[in-house]
Amino acid sequence: MNKKNEKSEHDMKNINNDESQQINQARQYAQWYVINCNKGHERRVYEDLKQKIETLNLKDKIFDIKIVEETVTNKDKKPETKNVFPGYIFINMIMTDETWYDVRNTPGVTGFIGSSGRGIKPLPLSEKEVNTMLYRDNKQTKKEPISKKDKSDERDFELNDYVHIISGALKGHEGQVSQLDDDKGVATVNIDFFGRSTPVKVEYICCKKIGS
């Protein structure tokens, strides 16, 4: 390798190091926001956002994108990945007119949570919301298999009762029971996310009736 090539490689390394330092410095000003998308299209929107960050060189303004998922056991006793918040994607970014426009105009994105419209930028998640929703314990509560089909004896609550979720991905949340599936041992609980009531399926053993 001649000296000219060595100098070129050295200069390129310095440029890359400077770029990394700039990104790390900018990251401290970023906050977490929540965007809406059509349910079932979260992964496609995620990939489109990733591509847009690369294409528009937004790496110093948009730093991370997350779909909150958990591993559950399906009816065939095989592990599968489930989206904890269907229709929602979390994005860590510096909110500017440019990034707000670019994210909103990504195919599949229907808007930001926390924006009242009329040109008003959305509010970021609080530190508590970030810790509760993004950095959760994904370990599932283990239980012994039950031979009978009806699992109603696993619950201490009824339809329309309010329950506290005591384990699993949604631990710490509360909501009202809107459906019961005694065959699967799963309740549909309406939980308030970002000011909107969202139905989520939770195993009976993960729920406890409030006041019991």
Side-chain angles (χ1 to χ4, degrees):
M1 182 182 294
N2 58 39
K3 290 185 178 181
K4 184 176 181 180
N5 289 338
E6 288 180 355
K7 185 176 184 303
S8 178
E9 283 191 9
H10 179 72
D11 291 343
M12 185 61 66
K13 287 181 180 179
N14 286 338
I15 291 173
N16 290 337
N17 288 336
D18 289 343
E19 183 180 347
S20 296
Q21 289 178 359
Q22 290 174 0
I23 291 174
N24 288 332
Q25 289 173 357
R27 189 187 295 269
Q28 64 182 312
Y29 300 106
Q31 292 178 292
W32 283 100
Y33 296 85
V34 186
I35 57 178
N36 267 132
C37 68
N38 296 321
K39 291 182 181 180
H41 293 209
E42 296 89 353
R43 184 58 56 182
R44 183 190 301 174
V45 174
Y46 172 92
E47 296 297 340
D48 286 344
L49 283 168
K50 285 285 190 181
Q51 183 62 48
K52 178 167 282 191
I53 292 169
E54 290 292 330
T55 302
L56 300 180
N57 194 25
L58 297 172
K59 290 183 288 187
D60 60 339
K61 297 182 180 69
I62 301 177
F63 306 98
D64 200 2
I65 305 169
K66 286 184 180 292
I67 298 173
V68 181
E69 298 175 326
E70 65 175 346
T71 301
V72 298
T73 302
N74 62 24
K75 62 182 180 180
D76 297 322
K77 298 184 179 179
K78 294 181 180 180
E80 66 178 16
T81 301
K82 183 183 75 171
N83 189 349
V84 177
F85 303 112
Y88 297 109
I89 297 176
F90 297 80
I91 186 166
N92 184 241
M93 60 186 281
I94 297 174
M95 182 61 68
T96 66
D97 289 339
E98 176 190 11
T99 56
W100 188 30
Y101 176 86
D102 288 333
V103 173
R104 279 186 300 145
N105 286 277
T106 299
V109 173
T110 57
F112 274 88
I113 296 297
S115 174
S116 61
R118 301 185 298 278
I120 299 175
K121 291 185 177 69
L123 296 173
L125 293 177
S126 67
E127 183 177 352
K128 181 179 179 180
E129 288 172 327
V130 171
N131 291 332
T132 300
M133 297 177 185
L134 294 181
Y135 304 113
R136 59 182 64 253
D137 181 4
N138 191 34
K139 295 179 181 179
Q140 297 296 302
T141 303
K142 293 184 179 180
K143 60 179 180 179
E144 294 298 322
I146 299 176
S147 57
K148 63 180 181 178
K149 187 176 181 181
D150 190 328
K151 298 184 178 181
S152 59
D153 59 349
E154 289 185 3
R155 58 180 169 85
D156 65 346
F157 51 87
E158 300 295 338
L159 194 65
N160 297 323
D161 282 345
Y162 284 86
V163 296
H164 180 71
I165 300 176
I166 58 175
S167 63
L170 296 171
K171 181 179 179 181
H173 287 279
E174 296 178 353
Q176 186 177 24
V177 178
S178 61
Q179 292 181 28
L180 296 171
D181 188 334
D182 288 337
D183 290 341
K184 296 180 180 179
V186 172
T188 300
V189 182
N190 292 328
I191 298 176
D192 184 34
F193 290 130
F194 326 117
R196 174 189 291 182
S197 180
T198 303
V200 294
K201 295 186 182 299
V202 188
E203 291 184 67
Y204 286 170
I205 58 170
C206 297
C207 301
K208 184 177 179 60
K209 182 179 177 179
I210 294 178
S212 62

